[in-house]
Amino acid sequence: MKIVYTDVLVIGGGLAGLRVAIGAKRRGHEAIILSLVPPKRSHSAAAQGGMQASLGNVVKGQGDNEDVHFEDTVRGSDWGADQRVVRMFVDTAPKAVRELAAWGVPWSRVARGDRQVIINGQKVTLAERDEAHGLLAQRDFGGTKKWRTCYVSDGTGHAMLFAVSDRAIAESITVHERMEAIALIHDGGRCHGAVVRNLVTGDLSAYVAKATTIATGGAGRVYRVTTNAVICEGIGTAIALETGVARLGNMEAVQFHPTAIFPAGILVTEGCRGDGGLLKDVDGHRFMPDYEPEKKELASRDVVSRRMETHIRKGKGARSRFGEHLWLDITQLGRAHIEKNLREVKEICEAFLGIDPVEQMIAVRPAQHYTMGGIRTDHTGQSPTLKGLFAAGEAACWDLHGFNRLGGNSVAETVVAGMIVGESIADYCDLLENDAAIATGLVREFVAAEQAGLDRMVSGGGSENASTLRGAMQDIMTAKVGIFRTGADLAAAVSELQALLERSRHIGVRGGGPGANPELVTAYRVRKMLKLALCVAHGAAERTESRGAHFREDFPRRDDAQWLKRTLATWKGDDHTLPTLAYEALDVKTMELPPGWRGYGAKDYVEHPDTPARTAEVQTLRERLREAPRFDVQHALMRYEDLLPKSLRGRNERIDEPLS
Amino acid sequence: MTIPIRPIRPIQPIAADAAPRRLRIRVLRFNPQQPAVAAHWQTYELDDAAGMTLFIALGEIREKLDPSLQFDFVCRAGICGSCAMLIDGRPALACRTLTKNLATEFTLAPLPVFELIGDLSVDTGKWMRGMSERLESWVHQQEEAIDLRRLEARMEPELAEKIYELDRCIECGCCVAACGTARMREDFVGAVGLNKIARFRLDPRDSRSDEDFYELIGDDNGVFGCMSLLGCHDFCPKHLPLSSQIAFIRRKMVAIGWK
């Protein structure tokens, strides 16, 4: 049995995993990254539009700061987020974007003087300040009060991923490519590493580490129609679930992006709308102002996606042989702007739709886009129930996004979480009590169990076809656990998924050849994906309210009295067909921003009993500290600075907020 | 083994009601884990469909016809660089290739130069990491520690755009597969490597001088190995300005070499 020992095992080579490894290594701990693909091919590269960080360099961003970013994020989450984590995030995002600037990301920059932009369908001239010339530029994005999204044309994720990946190479971080963790090794209380399958040879080995980090991104591929890359199957999340000890938070919170090209499901960035693109219907009518007079196309993603589907239901969709869709119109932005700031969008339209978006409208319809839920961790990134297991990025639920993530907050989260979790892992590994101490017998048992499971699929005489089961799962999720949900649909989805899970115990792999065996890969993954799909569907069926991206037609109101709490799912045994759900209440009494109306979307909701008192308390405090600096007001409302690693503390400089 | 090269056909409009073409896809197969089975061409037949890309076609083959067929896709949107292969003998991204632009019968083969993993899957990751380590493809900062709380260093907006233009490389390997020198010199850095040097040379955050770059690419495995056949330029799916960048870097390196 081959065992590889290291201090820190990082599963996933995207932005979050790379940044965690760099952080741990800089503190003197050896890190090995496992990646399904070469790290630069990770799905982080697909983030197009930008990264939110409240720098406030452009005039439309003036006045932006951590406070505004905090409120936007909490409102975006529909109050599902952990507000202390949001504070840690908004405080670190400017530091993260500046670190990336130093590492070589070619961020788009502010040019002094006049420039023409499109706002709300109108040409407007903005005059950028002399003192901002050459600093990072920001564009508009949905759900934000200020222009906050830093960008590199529309290849932001690509540029970030290459800079961070090259930084990891510079710091000699080992990456084992085409390696897949298929089980975590643990003793019920502590995680010791993972059983890993080599995707070239098919061989199993064990990786033993003091700290194991899961940074494997989202699970979009449990849906048929998704913007996610084909590797976003949630396997890292699933192996945490399969421990029976680690818990998944809010798996029913799934984001649908308004503008995936139809029917291929490939993303075109929110930057299209941020830069002035409009949504139009079959009649060429711009319909979003009818539903959302204030934010229009730039309400949060959950709201825009629902409005679009509602409009299609009203018979206003354009028809094609693949079904109905709406139009994204960016023609008014002009060739120069599109070829400079939206060039990936242009290439995608040319390659997959055969159109030039400078001249023609883009066929779009919402598609699954982001997994807000994930492995439940505390603010340091560690699982509260399985010591030594950490998670970061989309795979994690430390809970930055609650029930809806704002555009540009996810790539920002990858690097911010990487910085914070990397430090806390280093702290963890520094402690002598956390040295690896595991009997090889336990390792051997885990490897043997996995090998036996794989062997059964190849030679156990099973008759079920893995691809068929996966296709059925994806259809159920897209049809019944989508943007609009009902109790009846969800109940049907749960029982159908349970039946698929039963059938998946009898998968037979037709070809048993040595090596990669892609059919076997589908087989073992689909069983894990079905468990995740069940966490999503069962959680959604139980949550009898609407919050953020989770919308129940039979319970259309947000219900803070009953549901201001986080769903926690565990999988108690391999013979089970449902997760065990528990709930973790959010404490209104400690919130900096007590629940209220988001500023877009539905206005009525059921109030939490603690909300009036806390709202009054916050108001009184703000009144009393009216003359005080904003930092003092924030400090009085909710403490968070002590939660940040020491190296990441400190105020962020802005043109309008110089540091002394 | 020679691979037949066909001219690229102009786009043929397909009438919506016409019977679909029956595609014959010939795939060059070999699994190094099964060396006893010699490399061979295998033909798969399936119906063409509107908007079908090779991502969709190969997925259908694996799902319905042959679950053992190996290939790599990740983003399926032309941005991650995983799926480069020889399509009728020419390197290209499979996910961005529409079947309607190909003949009824066409061939797929793995990229040359890179280590074969199996069938259409090659190890570009190992090659690219080796190239990055050798050329030190990262910003060599003047200062070790930066104060992250302070305003970022300024850069002219036009310069940032120029750097991004070269930073758009997705390391797919098409330029290396299309390169005459790479077929003869195992250690040639390829257009991908020379473009990296051009990119970091342009970046004021990188403290390296032309003398430093000369140490990295001032030989026949670097810029002087290029024969100017420029297959790299013709087949780059991101349309990077490789011919002008290689010529420019060569001129700069010659200037150092003559000193």
Side-chain angles (χ1 to χ4, degrees), chain A residues 63-73 87 145-146 148:
Chain A
D64 198 13
N65 58 38
E66 296 84 2
D67 296 351
V68 189
H69 192 183
F70 169 81
E71 291 212 358
D72 284 346
T73 303
R87 270 289 170 191
K145 282 210 177 70
K146 300 283 180 185
R148 184 184 302 127

Side-chain angles (χ1 to χ4, degrees), chain A residues 389-448:
Chain A
L389 177 68
F390 293 78
E394 191 174 350
C397 177
W398 61 337
D399 200 351
L400 172 62
H401 306 300
F403 276 75
N404 177 65
R405 169 178 73 77
L406 294 185
N409 262 356
S410 63
V411 273
E413 181 191 25
T414 61
V415 281
V416 167
M419 292 166 89
I420 294 173
V421 177
E423 289 298 318
S424 66
I425 287 174
D427 292 342
Y428 178 88
C429 290
D430 280 345
L431 295 176
L432 292 178
E433 67 195 59
N434 292 329
D435 275 352
I438 176 178
T440 47
L442 181 67
V443 178
R444 193 183 312 114
E445 277 172 33
F446 270 87
V447 175

Side-chain angles (χ1 to χ4, degrees), chain A residues 37-38 40-41 45-46 55 57 95 98-99 101-107 109-111 131-136 152-155 158-159 162 166-167 169-170 172-173 175 177-178 200-201 221 226-231 264-266 321-322 340 343-344 347-348 351-352 419 467 470 510 513-516 518-519 649-655 659-660, chain B residues 16 31 33-34 49-51 53 55 62-65 67-70 72-83 95-96 98 100 117 121-126 128-129 132-133 137-141 144 146-158 160-161 163-165 167-173 196 199-200 203 205 237-239:
Chain A
V37 296
K40 285 173 181 165
R41 315 236 184 272
L55 301 186
N57 292 332
K95 298 177 179 73
R98 285 169 174 162
E99 180 176 81
W103 287 1
V105 174
W107 296 109
R109 303 284 172 150
V110 183
E131 56 269 39
H133 185 80
L135 296 177
L136 303 197
V152 183
S153 180
D154 61 349
H158 163 85
F162 271 55
D166 282 337
R167 194 67 238 153
I169 295 172
S172 303
I173 287 171
V175 181
E177 294 176 6
R178 295 176 188 266
V200 176
T201 63
R221 288 277 157 180
T226 174
T227 63
N228 283 193
V230 298
I231 54 170
I266 294 167
R321 52 181 296 222
F322 300 104
K340 189 171 109 185
R343 55 195 297 174
E344 294 294 333
E347 277 190 20
I348 285 167
F352 298 100
M419 292 166 89
S467 285
R470 189 178 60 180
R510 288 165 286 170
E519 188 187 10
R649 291 180 200 172
R651 290 180 189 173
N652 297 304
E653 188 176 28
R654 293 180 182 79
I655 297 172
L659 288 185
S660 51
Chain B
N31 182 355
Q33 306 290 322
Q34 288 175 294
T53 60
F55 164 68
R62 186 190 278 174
E63 219 160 273
K64 294 182 180 156
L65 301 173
S68 71
L69 184 63
Q70 292 187 61
D72 291 319
F73 287 101
V74 177
C75 76
R76 58 79 168 89
I79 52 175
C80 79
S82 298
C83 64
C95 73
R96 269 203 184 176
L98 294 161
K100 72 174 182 183
I117 288 174
S121 172
V122 295
D123 199 341
T124 51
K126 189 170 158 190
M128 293 296 168
R129 170 114 185 185
S132 281
E133 287 173 350
S137 70
W138 53 85
V139 164
H140 289 52
Q141 286 158 275
E144 274 306 299
I146 19 158
D147 186 347
L148 299 178
R149 299 169 309 149
R150 298 281 171 186
L151 287 188
E152 62 274 15
R154 291 168 199 269
M155 182 185 280
E156 282 304 309
E158 298 77 22
E161 281 165 28
I163 295 170
Y164 177 60
E165 182 66 28
D167 200 59
R168 294 177 70 239
C169 170
I170 55 174
E171 298 187 3
C172 61
K196 299 263 174 204
R199 180 244 177 273
F200 287 105
D203 197 325
R205 294 166 290 198
K238 301 309 271 188
H239 308 296

